[in-house]
Amino acid sequence: MPNVSTLTLDQQVCSLEAAILPIEGGAASQNEFQVAREHLAGAIRQACAFEADKAAKSLSALLESAAAATAGRRESAVLMLRALSVEGLLPFESDYQLERRVVELAETGFQDQLRALKLGDKRQTFEKTAALRGFHEAMCQHLRVLAHVRATLQDIDSAKGDIQRATKNSALGAYLHPYGWTLMKGKINQISDQVTELHECKDATYKQRFESLEATCAELRHEGERLPTFLTRLYVLPFVKVVGDAMLVLKAGSDEKFSCDIEPRRKQPDIAAKRYPLHLVDKWLTITLPFVNKGPGVAVDVTVELDCGNQSGLALENEEIRLGDIPPGDFAISFRAVVVDPMASVQLAMQVTWSQLFGESKSTAIDVRLTGQDATVDWASLELLEPYSLEVADEDRFIGRKSKVQAIGNRLLRAQMSSTYITGQKRIGKTSLAQAVLRYMVDHAKTPLEYLPLYLEWGEYCDADAS
C-alpha cells in the first residue's frame, strides 16, 4: 500500500474508494475497515493541507480541525458524507466525540447544500446524523439515469433532458466536485448533444459526427478510468459503454442504411443528353452528363477519371474531377474539352469512384460516346432565330393537342356545361388551345344551340393609353 501522506487529493480520493469497495461488498475484515479509515483521514489532511503533526490525532479531532480550517473544509465535508454512507466505516462506538464532529463539519462546510435535510429543525445529534447518512444515496438517485439508459441512439437522445437536468443539479455538482465531476459532466453533456446531432443527421457529415462522438466517449472513458470511484464505476463508465454499444450496433447495420450506387441516367454509351459541335476545331466545349445516386446513402468523395485516348480529336482540360459528397438523387458530371480535329463522334472511358459511409469504396467503369452536331447545318445562324411564335396559332398552324382539345370541348358541349381553367407559362399556347377548342365546338355543336365566345383581357398595364 502506498504511503498515504504522499498522495495527491485525487489519488487519496481514489484510494479511499478502493478501500471502501470491499466494505460495501460485505463481510469486510477489521483490517479492511482500518485501512479505509486511514485513507479517509489522509484525504481530509490532504484537502485541508494539514502538516504532519496533525497525523496522530483521532478521527474526531481531525474533523474538528477540518471544520475550523479555511481551506479544504468543503471537500472534507463531502468525504465525510461519503464515509457516513458506508455502514460501520466511522467508528462511533470507540470515538464518542465523532458523531458531534461529523454534524459540525457538515454544518460548517456544506450547509448551503443541506437545506433540504432541515438540520436546524432537529435538536438531537443522532437525528442529524441519520439525516446526513442518506445524503449520498439521494445524490446517487440523480445519477441513475446514466446507468439505466438503454443502448440505442434514439433512447439516449430521449433521455437527454433527464441527463442534463442531473448535470445541472447544484447540490450534486457540489457533492461530486472532489470526484472530478466538473470535467466529466461537461463531456456527458457534449455526448448528449452529439447523440442528438447524429440521430438527426441525414447528410454527408454523418461519419464526421460519428467519429467526433467516438472521440468524446474515448476522452470520458479515459477520465473515468483515471479516477476509479463510485461515480465512474457505477455511473460514468456504464453510460460510456451504453453509448459505445449503440454506436457499434449502428455501425454494424450501416452497410444497408448508407449504401449507394452511382450510374448514368441514360443507357451507355450514349449517356449525353445533347449533341456537341465536334466539327469546330479549337472550340472549347462544356460537356455535361446526367447521373444519379440511387442511394439511400450519400456517396462520399466522388472522383471521376476521364480518358479519351491518344488518337482522339478531343483534348481534356482535366483528366480527374473531384465532385465531393453527392446526396441521393440526380446530379451531373461536367468537364471542359477542346476540339483538336473535326469528328462526327468521340469515345471516352470514364471511371467513377466513391466511398460509402462506414462502408467500402466502390467504382464503376462507363463507356461514353459523344455524338457531334450535323456539320452541314449553319448552327450559328439558327441561334439568331426565334423558335417560338408571338402570334396565336390558328387552324393549320395549330398542331397536336387533339386529345386536350376534344376533352375540353366535350366538357363545354354537355347539357350541364363544366368550366375549364387553362394555366401555364407565357408563350406556351394557352390562347391557341382556347381558340382550337372554340373551333371544335362550332364544328360539333348541335342545332339549335349556338355558342358565343367572349374574349376579355384582365390585368395591369404599364400605361392606360396605348399610344
Side-chain angles (χ1 to χ4, degrees), residues 201 203 206 250-251 253-260 295-299 355-359:
C201 182
D203 57 27
Y206 196 98
L250 178 66
K251 196 169 185 178
S254 65
D255 288 345
E256 181 178 349
K257 181 176 180 180
F258 299 108
S259 66
C260 56
V298 175
S355 299
Q356 300 179 133
L357 287 172
F358 308 115

Side-chain angles (χ1 to χ4, degrees), residues 239-268:
F239 173 71
V240 176
K241 184 178 185 306
V242 165
V243 177
D245 289 345
M247 295 177 72
L248 287 175
V249 171
L250 178 66
K251 196 169 185 178
S254 65
D255 288 345
E256 181 178 349
K257 181 176 180 180
F258 299 108
S259 66
C260 56
D261 287 293
I262 290 177
E263 61 183 40
R265 264 297 184 188
R266 301 163 69 93
K267 187 176 180 180
Q268 299 184 51

Side-chain angles (χ1 to χ4, degrees), residues 159-419:
K160 178 179 178 179
D162 293 334
I163 292 171
Q164 296 193 340
R165 273 190 292 274
T167 59
K168 292 177 182 177
N169 186 287
S170 59
L172 183 65
Y175 182 65
L176 296 179
H177 181 72
Y179 296 90
W181 178 240
T182 301
L183 176 60
M184 292 183 200
K185 74 175 182 179
K187 293 297 181 184
I188 290 170
N189 285 333
Q190 185 178 355
I191 287 172
S192 298
D193 290 336
Q194 289 176 326
V195 166
T196 299
E197 293 169 0
L198 185 64
H199 183 58
E200 296 175 350
C201 182
K202 305 297 181 185
D203 57 27
T205 63
Y206 196 98
K207 186 176 182 182
Q208 178 184 349
R209 295 180 190 277
F210 187 96
E211 291 171 348
S212 296
L213 177 56
E214 271 188 326
T216 309
C217 287
E219 293 168 2
L220 182 57
R221 185 185 303 107
H222 176 268
E223 189 66 12
E225 292 170 349
R226 187 181 73 84
L227 298 174
T229 66
F230 80 93
L231 170 63
T232 54
R233 176 170 52 87
L234 299 178
Y235 305 108
V236 174
L237 291 179
F239 173 71
V240 176
K241 184 178 185 306
V242 165
V243 177
D245 289 345
M247 295 177 72
L248 287 175
V249 171
L250 178 66
K251 196 169 185 178
S254 65
D255 288 345
E256 181 178 349
K257 181 176 180 180
F258 299 108
S259 66
C260 56
D261 287 293
I262 290 177
E263 61 183 40
R265 264 297 184 188
R266 301 163 69 93
K267 187 176 180 180
Q268 299 184 51
D270 298 312
I271 67 173
K274 62 181 240 181
R275 299 187 176 205
Y276 292 89
L278 301 177
H279 58 286
L280 299 179
V281 177
D282 295 333
K283 173 74 172 179
W284 277 97
L285 309 175
T286 298
I287 299 167
T288 302
L289 306 175
F291 275 76
V292 61
N293 173 9
K294 302 188 72 174
V298 175
V300 179
D301 193 21
V302 179
T303 303
V304 180
E305 296 180 57
L306 299 165
D307 185 8
C308 56
N310 295 329
Q311 306 300 319
S312 174
L314 197 67
L316 300 170
E317 184 177 47
N318 293 301
E319 294 184 348
E320 182 177 279
I321 307 167
R322 294 189 176 274
L323 300 181
D325 301 333
I326 303 295
D330 293 334
F331 70 99
I333 297 176
S334 295
F335 57 93
R336 281 170 50 82
V338 63
V339 179
V340 178
D341 296 313
M343 52 198 153
S345 65
V346 62
Q347 298 284 140
L348 289 89
M350 175 182 288
Q351 190 81 20
V352 183
T353 306
W354 68 96
S355 299
Q356 300 179 133
L357 287 172
F358 308 115
E360 59 183 11
S361 295
K362 301 185 77 173
S363 183
T364 182
I366 300 165
D367 293 325
V368 181
R369 179 171 60 204
L370 300 178
T371 303
Q373 296 175 343
D374 189 344
T376 62
V377 176
D378 187 356
W379 296 99
S381 63
L382 290 179
E383 291 180 355
L384 302 176
L385 300 179
E386 172 56 64
Y388 300 102
S389 171
L390 295 177
E391 304 294 332
V392 175
D394 55 9
E395 298 183 359
D396 293 340
R397 292 194 302 163
F398 186 83
I399 301 172
R401 302 190 184 179
K402 181 178 180 181
S403 60
K404 288 186 180 296
V405 171
Q406 184 175 351
I408 298 173
N410 289 340
R411 294 181 66 187
L412 297 174
L413 289 171
R414 293 172 186 162
Q416 295 292 331
M417 181 184 292
S418 300
S419 61

Side-chain angles (χ1 to χ4, degrees), residues 76-131:
S76 299
V78 167
L79 295 172
M80 182 273 302
L81 288 169
R82 169 66 175 122
L84 191 59
S85 71
V86 182
E87 186 68 30
L89 179 56
L90 297 180
F92 293 118
E93 295 81 2
S94 60
D95 190 344
Y96 69 93
Q97 291 285 341
L98 184 56
E99 193 167 7
R100 188 157 58 91
R101 299 308 180 195
V102 165
V103 174
E104 180 184 291
L105 179 57
E107 291 182 325
T108 56
F110 210 62
Q111 178 62 38
D112 58 323
Q113 302 299 335
L114 298 175
R115 294 190 185 95
L117 300 182
K118 298 181 180 180
L119 297 181
D121 297 342
K122 299 173 175 61
R123 301 181 62 182
Q124 301 296 323
T125 299
F126 76 88
E127 293 178 313
K128 294 181 179 181
T129 305

Side-chain angles (χ1 to χ4, degrees), residues 444-462:
H444 294 81
K446 297 180 179 180
T447 56
L449 294 178
E450 184 178 353
Y451 292 88
L452 180 64
L454 181 62
Y455 184 82
L456 299 175
E457 284 194 6
W458 187 268
E460 295 293 335
Y461 291 88
C462 294

